Amino acid sequence: MEMENSEIKSPTYDISKFRLKRILNNNSVRKSISLLGTFPDLSETDEAIVVFEKNAYQESDISTEAASKESPAKPSYFSAELKVNTEFINNIYGSFQVVPSLDLCAVKSTVIYPATDKHVEKYSICQKYLIRETPDLYESTTLPYINESQFSLEWVYNILEHKKETERIVFEDKDPETGFILLPDLKWDGRNVENLYLLGIVHKHDIKSIRDLNGSHLPLLRNIRQSAKDEISKRYGLNPNQLRMYFHYQPSFYHLHVHINPIRNDAPGIWCEKSHMLDTVISNLELLPDYYQRATLPFVLYEGNKLLDLYEEKLTVRSVAAPISESKEREEEPAVESAVDVFSDDDPEERECKRIRLATPDPKEAEATAQVCA
């Protein structure tokens, strides 16, 4: 008996009635902006996050082929509807502002409502700090925080149980031990293969992150790697050797999932302190089955995260501790020089010579100082 699909086809809110409170993030590189506000017609207190992101270009949108009976005209930037405003012409160079047809002006929008403090934190710009999480720190600090404060996983279980988003499923292996569901991430519009972004969500419910992985999970990880490559190659025509598959640590939600996108796509969260390649994870577990129970795993925390406050109680995170032997010397120095000293490999005498040279504008005096400090 098939489970009834209770997918909601329309939201409870009207995006046009969103009222802005403040801008959380304006990313000029990714051409996206994250906004915090409310839907006052629904609630004055429940906050909403609205993200606008320019869509990636599709190759079909730049077609210049003439329409025919067999091939009807498709939306194209190079059409009679293109509005062109000339900014300047200089020799062979021209600069213009162009407005294409309405069919090509759509902007992708993601809405989170009602948004929690953790969502606001996730989409905001703030200071970042690198935490070097040992196994002991994971057990004493990170794990208790996860158990108390993680996002609800109801939406994940809705997908795995086919209650929601069934029409978005790209592939599924239903094996309870080695199976997973492959579906588009919210960051992908589902159309342009150039910026393809898929998530592989495992069926097993007892793996929160790579910290829980061990040698017994190798069949699961190998199956994800091979089955996902096969399906993406068949469905989207992408070369498996051009795909990037990786985990985030810390992840945004604590149910094991793999991120998959083309190497040529500079996807969010691919930096080295965030992502762990699936191939590397498999290799580590083949070498040492309990690798992730023994390893120190660095990860980034943002200012305002409660977990950062918990680590601040145990480690020096937000400020840099000064060496005791030089603490008195640094108390008498300007703050900028103190910060430099902390990261300097020079001995005190050499450092003092550098200070004198920097503070000696006269060339002759500087030359005399250089001889003394040589």
Side-chain angles (χ1 to χ4, degrees), residues 316 319-323 330 342:
T316 302
S319 60
V320 180
R330 248 189 306 281
V342 171

Side-chain angles (χ1 to χ4, degrees), residues 139-200:
E139 293 291 337
S140 66
T141 307
T142 306
L143 184 57
Y145 170 79
I146 292 172
N147 292 333
E148 294 175 5
S149 308
Q150 70 165 310
F151 286 139
S152 169
L153 294 176
E154 182 179 357
W155 70 273
V156 178
Y157 301 148
N158 284 340
I159 293 172
L160 295 176
E161 296 168 12
H162 288 213
K163 294 180 180 179
K164 303 285 185 180
E165 304 187 46
T166 53
E167 74 282 359
R168 299 181 71 239
I169 294 176
V170 172
F171 171 83
E172 180 176 12
D173 181 333
K174 296 184 179 181
D175 189 287
E177 294 297 318
T178 62
F180 66 102
I181 280 180
L182 192 66
L183 80 167
D185 186 275
L186 287 176
K187 301 178 187 68
W188 186 39
D189 59 15
R191 299 183 302 131
N192 189 358
V193 177
E194 290 295 315
N195 64 334
L196 175 140
Y197 199 135
L198 299 175
L199 286 184

Side-chain angles (χ1 to χ4, degrees), residues 1-5 161-162 166 174:
M1 179 178 178
E2 293 186 1
M3 185 176 295
E4 183 180 352
N5 184 3
E161 296 168 12
H162 288 213
T166 53
K174 296 184 179 181

Side-chain angles (χ1 to χ4, degrees), residues 106-153:
V107 176
K108 185 181 184 303
S109 179
T110 300
V111 179
I112 302 173
Y113 180 77
T116 66
D117 290 341
K118 287 179 69 65
H119 289 113
V120 175
E121 170 197 317
K122 177 181 177 180
Y123 285 91
S124 298
I125 286 182
C126 52
Q127 293 294 330
K128 303 176 184 179
Y129 301 91
L130 191 67
I131 304 296
R132 294 168 182 82
E133 181 194 75
T134 65
D136 288 341
L137 284 172
Y138 174 75
E139 293 291 337
S140 66
T141 307
T142 306
L143 184 57
Y145 170 79
I146 292 172
N147 292 333
E148 294 175 5
S149 308
Q150 70 165 310
F151 286 139
S152 169
L153 294 176

Side-chain angles (χ1 to χ4, degrees), residues 37-54:
T38 61
F39 292 110
D41 59 315
L42 299 179
S43 171
E44 292 288 348
T45 56
D46 287 344
E47 293 185 316
I49 293 175
V50 174
V51 181
F52 288 124
E53 182 178 2
K54 295 291 183 68

Side-chain angles (χ1 to χ4, degrees), residues 14 18 39 53 63-64 82 110 192 218 220 222 251 262 266 284 294 307-308 312 337-338:
D14 181 348
F18 174 82
F39 292 110
E53 182 178 2
S63 173
T64 57
L82 185 69
T110 300
N192 189 358
L218 281 169
L220 165 65
R222 291 170 180 148
D266 292 333
N284 288 339
R294 300 172 61 177
L307 182 57
L308 177 61
E312 183 69 26
E337 293 187 359
S338 297

